[in-house]
Amino acid sequence: GAVVSQHPSRVICKSGTSVKIECRSLDFQATTMFWYRQFPKQSLMLMATSNEGSKATYEQGVEKDKFLINHASLTLSTLTVTSAHPEDSSFYICSARDLGQTTDTQYFGPGTRLTVL
Amino acid sequence: QKEVEQDPGPLSVPEGAIVSLNCTYSNSAFQYFMWYRQYSRKGPELLMYTYSSGNKEDGRFTAQVDKSSKYISLFIRDSQPSDSATYLCAMSAGTGRRALTFGSGTRLQVQP
């Protein structure tokens, strides 16, 4: 149980285009999902907290107009990188909390590698 | 000072060795402690979850939490080359919508 999927697993796009990344909890419901960014050999950097049915909460320094988050259902959150630039190239990982559990654990997706040319 | 400190390594050990991975933290409100394993270019995988102080064992893995010292450990017995990965400690103050606070991760290499 507790499987989180991400799609696509890797994407290459041209500078200026927008890219959408999907995060799904496959066998549980998640009122809260989290989006992280990870640079090579570095730890996870929290970008935003995605709450079902309400606006996402962004961390300091993360542009909400550039990284659009939509959490339309209890099993799906999307991150759209708008007008992508080469510096947005990174590994994006989502995680989700299981609504049915009382613990504070999060389950991570496999990540999406974004390369902006 | 970071809220959670973790030695980045790399830590290189021979196959079969006992591995000790550690994190220290400064926030006394943390009550939930987790260890994640991350292989290269993959998402983190939950290994161990512990609430408050004490030990928890699962197969070759043992997690220890000492809240009085603000120190947590993960021990791996009989380490295998397949254990080579980055290990991230994570913690939180309680249930809710808050994100976890992660350590920077320790890269472990188990030599065959």
Side-chain angles (χ1 to χ4, degrees):
Chain A
V3 177
V4 177
S5 71
Q6 270 183 254
H7 178 80
S9 58
R10 103 185 271 163
V11 57
I12 300 172
C13 69
K14 291 182 178 180
S15 187
T17 61
S18 293
V19 174
K20 180 186 280 189
I21 302 170
E22 290 186 350
C23 177
R24 291 182 186 272
S25 54
L26 297 185
D27 51 1
F28 65 97
Q29 293 183 323
T31 52
T32 305
M33 291 184 172
F34 304 91
W35 286 95
Y36 295 85
R37 186 172 178 175
Q38 187 176 37
F39 291 104
K41 298 187 179 182
Q42 294 189 25
S43 191
L44 305 164
M45 183 189 81
L46 179 67
M47 298 175 65
T49 302
S50 168
N51 301 306
E52 186 266 338
S54 64
K55 290 183 179 180
T57 303
Y58 290 82
E59 295 301 299
Q60 193 173 9
V62 178
E63 299 175 60
K64 62 181 180 181
D65 294 331
K66 180 166 184 62
F67 298 99
L68 300 178
I69 291 173
N70 186 302
H71 193 153
S73 76
L74 288 173
T75 59
L76 173 65
S77 176
T78 61
L79 168 68
T80 302
V81 183
T82 62
S83 187
H85 288 106
E87 57 264 31
D88 297 326
S89 299
S90 188
F91 193 51
Y92 292 87
I93 310 175
C94 71
S95 71
R97 276 196 68 236
D98 187 345
L99 182 63
Q101 287 191 8
T102 57
T103 63
D104 218 17
T105 54
Q106 292 178 26
Y107 300 95
F108 284 84
T112 297
R113 183 157 302 281
L114 170 64
T115 303
V116 184
L117 303 176
Chain B
Q1 184 190 6
K2 293 181 183 177
E3 266 193 302
V4 179
E5 297 277 359
Q6 186 176 7
D7 188 332
L11 176 62
S12 184
V13 301
E15 184 174 354
I18 296 175
V19 176
S20 173
L21 303 166
N22 312 293
C23 287
T24 58
Y25 62 95
S26 57
N27 188 345
S28 57
F30 286 145
Q31 299 184 74
Y32 298 88
F33 305 91
M34 285 137 273
W35 285 95
Y36 287 87
R37 176 175 63 194
Q38 185 178 23
Y39 292 111
S40 181
R41 298 173 181 256
K42 301 288 185 184
E45 168 195 10
L46 179 65
L47 275 181
M48 299 287 284
Y49 168 87
T50 312
Y51 170 68
S52 194
S53 285
N55 294 358
K56 186 173 184 178
E57 187 173 321
D58 184 0
R60 296 186 295 113
F61 299 92
T62 299
Q64 284 186 352
V65 175
D66 182 349
K67 289 188 69 180
S68 62
S69 302
K70 297 190 180 69
Y71 188 87
I72 70 170
S73 301
L74 177 70
F75 297 96
I76 307 174
R77 289 184 298 281
D78 188 24
S79 57
Q80 303 295 312
S82 58
D83 294 328
S84 299
T86 296
Y87 290 80
L88 298 148
C89 64
M91 46 199 81
S92 77
T95 57
R97 296 182 173 187
R98 287 178 296 275
L100 300 175
T101 301
F102 282 89
S104 56
T106 299
R107 195 152 55 94
L108 171 66
Q109 297 170 345
V110 181
Q111 308 293 341

